[in-house]
Amino acid sequence: MSNQNIYDNQKFFDGYRKLRENPLSANNIIEKPALFRLVPDMHNKTVLDLGCGYGENCVEFLKLGAAKVIGLDISKKMLEIAQNENNSPNIQYINKSMTDLNEITEKFDVVFSSLAVHYIEDFDKLVVDINHLLNKDGYLIFSQEHPLITALLSQNYWTVNSDDECIHYNLSTYALEGERKVTWFVDGVVKYHRTISSIINALSAAGFVVERMLEPIPNDTIMEQYPKYKKSIHKPDFLLIKARKSDLIL
């Protein structure tokens, strides 16, 4: 079971924070708006945010009417910022790995996770654990790096033309699931690749009904204003899923 805590590496942490503070980052322009479109009515709901990071999403849930939010993250550095910048009497932050959800005894109406599950090796166990934490008809809503990204064994992502424009994505080894090591701010960041079918089948076997999937890309206005995003037409960066707990387990 993976318990990587790369976010407490100071070099990685500094690079990541600079990225997330950029209003033009893909997280801010593409992933977060799409993810919150999947959120149900939050009035009086209890929420567990897995890999909560700085806690900004926890605060957003309260604004949407949630009664209580628990933010869980393995990184102490992340939670220090969350406590300082996004604190509330109705938010509780817990320093814990997503691999240890069996230690949580509370039940929730919504379990939410933004760009964290691709760090977990045993996805099947993770979604079973999440199902056990949900109330009847509760929701799991999460985003992850798109499997077209996690598939590659190298970081040779794009083929470009003479004008340095991306003309196609170099997809390879998609069917080969398992560990990937990438350089992202630091060397040796470990992520796990799963095919889309493996993700959906794991959710179904754990007792979820997938209600909606998104593979968001920027709109035409953003792509014209920021040409770096034009390559998104070849490959989405994110996969987002909204799944409801069901009484039927296959």
Side-chain angles (χ1 to χ4, degrees):
M1 189 71 70
S2 169
N3 274 302
Q4 179 185 211
N5 186 11
I6 193 66
Y7 286 83
D8 276 350
N9 176 300
Q10 190 64 51
K11 182 178 179 181
F12 182 95
F13 180 81
D14 291 342
Y16 178 81
R17 181 158 200 187
K18 183 178 180 180
L19 173 68
R20 291 306 297 264
E21 290 175 349
N22 177 6
L24 301 180
S25 71
N27 304 93
N28 291 322
I29 286 180
I30 307 170
E31 183 259 351
K32 187 171 180 176
L35 194 56
F36 272 87
R37 288 202 300 271
L38 298 180
V39 170
D41 178 11
M42 300 296 288
H43 185 65
N44 284 334
K45 296 296 193 296
T46 54
V47 184
L48 175 63
D49 187 358
L50 301 178
C52 67
Y54 304 153
E56 68 269 28
N57 291 336
C58 297
V59 172
E60 187 65 24
F61 295 135
L62 294 184
K63 292 178 181 178
L64 293 173
K68 179 181 179 181
V69 182
I70 292 182
L72 179 148
D73 206 289
I74 196 173
S75 168
K76 291 182 179 180
K77 287 184 178 295
M78 289 288 193
L79 292 182
E80 286 175 3
I81 292 179
Q83 292 281 12
N84 290 331
E85 298 182 3
N86 293 301
N87 206 351
S88 166
N90 295 324
I91 299 175
Q92 177 185 359
Y93 292 112
I94 299 176
N95 183 212
K96 188 183 291 292
S97 169
M98 292 165 60
T99 63
D100 298 323
L101 297 184
N102 59 300
E103 298 176 3
I104 297 175
T105 57
E106 294 185 54
K107 295 285 187 177
F108 303 89
D109 299 305
V110 177
V111 174
F112 183 92
S113 185
S114 172
L115 299 177
V117 302
H118 50 260
Y119 294 116
I120 301 300
E121 181 177 6
D122 193 341
F123 182 75
D124 291 33
K125 177 183 181 299
L126 176 67
V127 294
V128 168
D129 288 346
I130 290 172
N131 188 282
H132 291 160
L133 292 176
L134 282 168
N135 291 320
K136 179 179 172 58
D137 294 324
Y139 281 101
L140 165 61
I141 299 169
F142 70 94
S143 65
Q144 65 161 76
E145 286 191 0
H146 200 286
L148 297 182
I149 294 178
T150 58
L152 274 61
L153 290 171
S154 71
Q155 292 180 258
N156 179 30
Y157 295 126
W158 296 100
T159 293
V160 299
N161 62 19
S162 58
D163 295 322
D164 203 33
E165 297 170 331
C166 295
I167 57 175
H168 66 76
Y169 182 67
N170 300 326
L171 177 62
S172 61
T173 58
Y174 177 80
L176 183 61
E177 298 187 319
E179 182 182 286
R180 302 291 193 266
K181 288 186 178 180
V182 301
T183 298
W184 188 35
F185 306 127
V186 297
D187 294 334
V189 178
V190 177
K191 302 177 183 181
Y192 293 91
H193 169 63
R194 290 172 278 271
T195 64
I196 294 175
S197 60
S198 289
I199 293 167
I200 299 303
N201 289 335
L203 289 166
S204 178
F208 286 100
V209 175
V210 175
E211 291 194 349
R212 196 170 181 198
M213 294 175 58
L214 299 177
E215 298 170 287
I217 65 171
N219 60 38
D220 293 342
T221 301
I222 290 175
M223 285 194 278
E224 286 301 319
Q225 190 172 3
Y226 306 106
K228 71 174 184 176
Y229 283 118
K230 288 185 177 181
K231 63 185 179 182
S232 299
I233 64 172
H234 300 298
K235 173 199 59 62
D237 288 333
F238 309 108
L239 175 67
L240 284 60
I241 294 178
K242 179 180 182 178
R244 176 176 50 82
K245 180 173 181 173
S246 170
D247 292 333
L248 176 63
I249 298 180
L250 301 180

